[in-house]
Amino acid sequence: MQSEIAQKVSGGLQLQLSGSEQSQLAKGPTNNPEAYQLYLKGLFSWNQLTEEGFTSAIQYLNQALDKDPNFALAYVGLANTYIMLGTDSRAPKEAMPEARRNAERALKLNATLPEAHAALGIIMLVYDWDWK
């Protein structure tokens, strides 16, 4: 449904999309509805902004990845969860490498995923102190 809406919006705007842009638009984050539901539950848990919520998010996101190991957004969700834990309740030396590993895995799956680039940028800013 999301891809249909995106196609209608782009058609209504009379955008000229290349073939690769059209295929990117048509492709959803995962073809597995169970994985997507688990991902959404992970995001809901993450948005509680508590350590318990982050712990629950990790469980849901890992379950989503068990259903679809190529679900790049689920890796981003894990990266963002470990970023939050590493800036709040866990030692950064423990959490940030895990965040980086997940962000980089997402980028290997989809190098154009803005959320993955943003997560890696946050890691570089707050952990690496690479402010460029």
Side-chain angles (χ1 to χ4, degrees):
M1 180 158 68
Q2 290 175 338
S3 64
E4 288 177 30
I5 292 170
Q7 288 174 348
K8 287 182 182 180
V9 168
S10 67
L13 296 173
Q14 297 179 355
L15 298 175
Q16 299 298 320
L17 300 177
S18 69
S20 65
E21 289 171 329
Q22 288 177 356
S23 67
Q24 182 85 15
L25 191 59
K27 181 183 176 196
T30 179
N31 291 328
N32 186 316
E34 290 178 77
Y36 192 68
Q37 285 297 315
L38 290 163
Y39 167 75
L40 292 176
K41 288 179 180 182
L43 292 185
F44 178 82
S45 295
W46 189 94
N47 277 294
Q48 303 307 303
L49 300 176
T50 63
E51 188 167 359
E52 296 80 22
F54 297 139
T55 300
S56 178
I58 289 169
Q59 292 171 351
Y60 281 124
L61 293 165
N62 279 320
Q63 289 174 27
L65 289 167
D66 287 342
K67 301 283 182 190
D68 181 357
N70 295 314
F71 190 178
L73 278 176
Y75 285 106
V76 173
L78 284 172
N80 288 331
T81 304
Y82 283 107
I83 288 169
M84 292 299 287
L85 288 170
T87 58
D88 184 45
S89 60
R90 291 194 188 168
K93 288 184 179 184
E94 173 189 322
M96 290 302 186
E98 191 66 26
R100 182 187 318 274
R101 185 182 68 77
N102 283 288
E104 288 174 348
R105 176 71 174 137
L107 286 170
K108 284 182 184 175
L109 292 168
N110 184 348
T112 65
L113 194 62
E115 296 91 341
H117 285 283
L120 196 53
I122 292 168
I123 295 163
M124 293 171 72
L125 176 70
V126 302
Y127 183 64
D128 298 338
W129 288 43
D130 181 355
W131 295 354
K132 290 185 267 172

